[in-house]
Amino acid sequence: MSWLGRLFKKDIKAPLRGARPVRREKTYSADTGYVYQYFYEGYRELTQAGESGFEHVFSVTSDRISRFPINIFLSHQVIEAWQAGNDRELSATEQYAIVKMTLFALFDDRTDFDGSERNFDVSLENVEEHAETLDL
């Protein structure tokens, strides 16, 4: 009967961690003219496409009516590559700042988040750009 359980098993992700007990809604005025409100829902350890890292989840709205998740994945491999090239480690707080800067860049560059394209990966180029902006 164990095969039956595997047949109907859903792809269940690990629970989110790291969110504050009392959520704080924040606002971001994007270059596109949209004003976004978002909550940080937390993060989870995740492996995707052979890379492990942390997926950070934000609950976002641009019209105060409908909310949708935006998931930003920061892989350990990208962080390690940046750290090797810059001869220093990024703290968890600095990594979160890079994730948040990636979220803001998405808000500035896009006017729609329709469909299933709400999962984004942070590239090494993104880390380098945001680290420079943050003066890391």
Side-chain angles (χ1 to χ4, degrees), residues 77-79 81-83 86 122-129:
Q77 290 84 344
V78 168
I79 291 301
W82 186 89
Q83 291 175 158
N86 290 277
V122 181
S123 67
L124 180 57
E125 294 78 25
N126 296 137
V127 173
E128 290 171 348
E129 177 185 339

Side-chain angles (χ1 to χ4, degrees), residues 14-92:
L16 295 172
R17 301 180 291 167
R20 294 176 180 249
V22 177
R23 297 187 326 164
R24 296 184 313 172
E25 185 175 55
K26 298 196 176 178
T27 301
Y28 182 78
S29 298
D31 290 343
T32 58
Y34 283 86
V35 176
Y36 293 93
Q37 291 82 33
Y38 64 94
F39 289 110
Y40 179 63
E41 298 292 346
Y43 69 94
R44 65 173 62 99
E45 184 83 29
L46 186 69
T47 300
Q48 67 179 27
E51 292 190 23
S52 63
F54 291 108
E55 176 184 55
H56 296 263
V57 179
F58 297 87
S59 175
V60 178
T61 183
S62 61
D63 59 10
R64 292 190 175 258
I65 297 170
S66 59
R67 288 199 165 273
F68 53 90
I70 292 184
N71 305 322
I72 300 178
F73 179 72
L74 179 59
S75 75
H76 295 309
Q77 290 84 344
V78 168
I79 291 301
E80 290 167 2
W82 186 89
Q83 291 175 158
N86 290 277
D87 227 13
R88 78 182 279 285
E89 289 193 20
L90 287 173
S91 69

Side-chain angles (χ1 to χ4, degrees), residues 100-111:
K100 202 161 173 182
M101 294 294 291
T102 302
L103 179 70
F104 294 163
L106 289 169
F107 290 160
D108 286 338
D109 294 340
R110 299 179 60 123
T111 57

Side-chain angles (χ1 to χ4, degrees), residues 108-121:
D108 286 338
D109 294 340
R110 299 179 60 123
T111 57
D112 64 335
F113 291 96
D114 60 345
S116 63
E117 193 178 352
R118 295 182 184 152
N119 299 310
F120 301 94
D121 294 345

